[in-house]
Amino acid sequence: MSIEKKFTLWLLAWPIFIELFLQLMLGAVDTLMVSKVSDDAVAVVGFSNQLFMALTTLFMTVASGAGILIAQKQGSRNHEDARTIAIMAVKVSVIIGLLLSVLLCIKSREIAILFQIPANLLSLAITYISIVGGGMVLIALMSTLSTVIRNTGNTKGPMYTAIGMNLVHLFLNYSFIYGAFGFPHWGLTGVAISTLASRLLATSLLFFIFIGSFERKIRFNDIKLFNRKLFNEILRIGWPLGVNMSCWFFSQLVIFTFIAMIGAKEMSTRTYMNTLESFCFMLGFAIALAAQIQIAHLYGANRTKEAYTAAYRALKIGLVVVVINAFLLFLFGVHLLHLFTSDPAIIKLGTSLLGFNLLLQPGKVFNMVFGNSLNALGDTRFIMVTSLISMWFVATAMSYWVGVHLGMGLIGIYICMICDEYIRGCLAFFRWRGRKYLLRAEQLENQKNSQTQVTMTRATLN
């Protein structure tokens, strides 16, 4: 397949969608199976996953910046630089992942207490955080390898890996929770071990794909590769992305802490709703990620007009899909909630949130498409600034005031999250319309062409 065909929106998007779908299925299987243990166990898994996602920003700073640069370098046919960037990103992620693994393994109790985990959930939280958190190096490698591979145009590799990981996780979950096939009956501890084992398999498969992802195969000796100029480029794009991601994850973690202050049932409801909502926007998110890779590739190839229109095409497709999915969830969400829990209070609260989800999901895809499009050009500082302002003041501070102080609970928190998505989406939209980075690239290309023409004219005259 030619490199241009590899970077079409559809060919990039559908494997990402399947990969995301399977990742979400992994979370849904966890939630559904753990719900058979207890609603308390569900609350622990929900909190812990928020914590782990927040910590991933520490290595995704490098991985995300590297991914965008790899797509740009591939667009400009600079394959050696793309290869070097990938190797550096993996090395840095391993170092950060190992440090986080040690921290979560030996400080699980202190972390659970810090985030106000209720006393009756403390022992479960310590067990889950220490086992799954001890494997943060695997999450670091999985995330970085997937990002690197995906930005070379190979979105099928991570998809196939996700399939294998889900099958193993499903089998081990069932075995440990129910004591099937001669396995011990370990409940939540078994879920943690199952998660760790499936991630180890996924990391091994992704590393095998990574080795052959570039024109020149990656060798063991390449571990010594380091290019200061390229690494500075990664950080220039990556550190604002890292701040942006950390803003989102940590704000969600703080919001989850607010929900914990309201009550354990609200924590469980949010965990169940988060699982159901994920199915609404995942195809839109896949399209946004595919658009980022495509736009970065087009930008690297100086095809700026195509890059500009690609964002609008992705938005149209994403909005249609997300609205349809959100409406289907509105119609059938109450039946899905019954699959997770029989607690009438949780079902009643979850049902009341389904209408708010109809407003939340279009705002998310609007924000994701234009935010990712700006990231693809390297305009990451703008997204960082808007995230710092909106996420912390609108989504987080207002959530406490409306949800906790005014007593509106989970519904009040949802209203604040909706406002945050639309504010950030509108700001990104107007920034994209300004075409700042695209116009600059066009001017540089025109100057380069003019200089080339002058040189050729002089050569002809001589």
Side-chain angles (χ1 to χ4, degrees):
M1 183 185 294
S2 70
I3 193 166
E4 296 305 324
K5 287 184 178 179
K6 280 174 66 178
F7 284 89
T8 60
L9 186 66
W10 169 246
L11 286 178
L12 290 170
W14 76 262
I16 295 176
F17 164 68
I18 303 250
E19 181 191 353
L20 291 174
F21 176 79
L22 290 170
Q23 285 178 358
L24 291 170
M25 283 299 296
L26 182 65
V29 166
D30 261 347
T31 305
L32 184 60
M33 288 188 167
V34 173
S35 69
K36 305 306 178 186
V37 178
S38 70
D39 286 328
D40 286 346
V42 169
V44 166
V45 172
F47 163 77
S48 301
N49 287 341
Q50 290 285 349
L51 172 64
F52 299 146
M53 286 192 295
L55 292 174
T56 60
T57 59
L58 295 174
F59 47 79
M60 285 305 291
T61 295
V62 174
S64 300
I68 290 168
L69 274 176
I70 287 167
Q72 289 181 0
K73 297 295 183 184
Q74 295 276 73
S76 61
R77 301 294 194 271
N78 197 339
H79 300 295
E80 277 301 306
D81 278 359
R83 181 178 180 274
T84 301
I85 290 166
I87 293 167
M88 289 192 294
V90 170
K91 285 194 298 183
V92 172
S93 296
V94 169
I95 294 168
I96 297 172
L98 284 171
L99 292 174
L100 290 175
S101 290
V102 173
L103 175 67
L104 289 168
C105 207
I106 65 177
K107 293 292 182 181
S108 55
R109 173 179 289 275
E110 289 83 351
I111 291 168
I113 293 171
L114 176 65
F115 287 103
Q116 305 291 315
I117 292 295
N120 61 312
L121 305 183
L122 195 59
S123 62
L124 288 174
I126 292 168
T127 299
Y128 195 80
I129 290 171
S130 61
I131 296 175
V132 179
M136 278 298 289
V137 65
L138 297 177
I139 300 176
L141 269 170
M142 273 178 58
S143 302
T144 304
L145 290 170
S146 291
T147 301
V148 166
I149 293 165
R150 203 181 290 125
N151 279 275
T152 64
N154 176 13
T155 52
K156 290 182 181 178
M159 176 193 72
Y160 292 133
T161 302
I163 292 172
M165 182 173 70
N166 271 268
L167 290 174
V168 171
H169 186 67
L170 181 63
F171 171 77
L172 291 178
N173 256 13
Y174 182 82
S175 300
F176 281 123
I177 290 175
Y178 299 103
F181 309 115
F183 281 78
H185 188 280
W186 281 349
L188 188 61
T189 301
V191 173
I193 293 171
S194 168
T195 302
L196 205 63
S198 59
R199 283 175 178 164
L200 178 61
L201 172 66
T203 302
S204 303
L205 292 173
L206 287 170
F207 194 78
F208 177 77
I209 297 168
F210 168 73
I211 289 172
S213 291
F214 298 91
E215 285 194 344
R216 196 159 59 86
K217 196 172 182 179
I218 292 171
R219 306 289 182 184
F220 180 77
N221 288 338
D222 290 326
I223 197 171
K224 297 181 290 186
L225 273 179
F226 186 82
N227 185 307
R228 185 179 295 275
K229 182 181 176 183
L230 289 176
F231 192 69
N232 287 338
E233 282 190 61
I234 293 172
L235 293 182
R236 178 182 60 81
I237 293 176
W239 79 262
L241 277 175
V243 172
N244 179 34
M245 285 187 289
S246 64
C247 275
W248 190 84
F249 285 127
F250 280 103
S251 68
Q252 292 297 306
L253 192 58
V254 172
I255 290 170
F256 209 88
T257 304
F258 297 159
I259 298 170
M261 293 167 65
I262 298 170
K265 289 189 185 299
E266 283 76 9
M267 284 179 69
S268 297
T269 302
R270 176 57 186 152
T271 302
Y272 293 137
M273 285 300 298
N274 194 47
T275 301
L276 295 180
E277 289 167 16
S278 297
F279 289 95
C280 288
F281 76 89
M282 64 182 171
L283 185 50
F285 187 40
I287 291 167
L289 283 177
Q292 177 178 297
I293 296 169
Q294 183 187 43
I295 290 168
H297 182 263
L298 292 169
Y299 181 67
N302 289 310
R303 294 160 61 182
T304 53
K305 290 182 175 59
E306 293 174 65
Y308 180 72
T309 57
Y312 294 103
R313 184 168 62 254
L315 178 67
K316 290 176 185 175
I317 297 169
L319 279 175
V320 170
V321 172
V322 162
V323 169
I324 292 172
N325 285 342
F327 186 69
L328 289 173
L329 181 58
F330 178 74
L331 292 177
F332 302 108
V334 64
H335 303 293
L336 295 173
L337 281 170
H338 279 284
L339 294 176
F340 295 101
T341 182
S342 57
D343 190 314
I346 293 176
I347 292 171
K348 182 180 178 181
L349 181 57
T351 303
S352 67
L353 296 173
L354 293 172
F356 288 97
N357 188 57
L358 284 171
L359 297 173
L360 178 63
Q361 298 307 327
K364 279 191 172 188
V365 76
F366 185 61
N367 178 31
M368 285 188 299
V369 166
F370 286 111
N372 283 19
S373 298
L374 290 169
N375 289 338
L377 309 183
D379 191 6
T380 53
R381 292 193 185 189
F382 176 82
I383 300 299
M384 177 190 70
V385 172
T386 56
S387 296
L388 281 169
I389 296 170
S390 183
M391 286 183 193
W392 287 108
F393 285 96
V394 179
T396 308
M398 291 295 292
S399 282
Y400 178 81
W401 187 64
V402 175
V404 180
H405 181 70
L406 296 182
M408 290 184 66
L410 203 49
I411 289 175
I413 289 173
Y414 259 67
I415 292 170
C416 295
M417 291 193 298
I418 291 168
C419 292
D420 166 58
E421 294 290 350
Y422 280 99
I423 287 170
R424 287 188 290 129
C426 288
L427 291 171
F429 167 70
F430 287 114
R431 179 73 166 186
W432 184 255
R433 284 191 65 182
R435 303 180 73 240
K436 178 181 177 181
Y437 275 62
L438 294 172
L439 290 172
R440 184 189 300 171
E442 288 173 9
Q443 290 171 358
L444 289 173
E445 183 66 15
N446 290 335
Q447 289 174 6
K448 182 180 176 182
N449 290 338
S450 297
Q451 290 173 356
T452 302
Q453 195 170 16
V454 169
T455 303
M456 291 176 64
T457 302
R458 286 176 179 172
T460 303
L461 291 174
N462 291 335

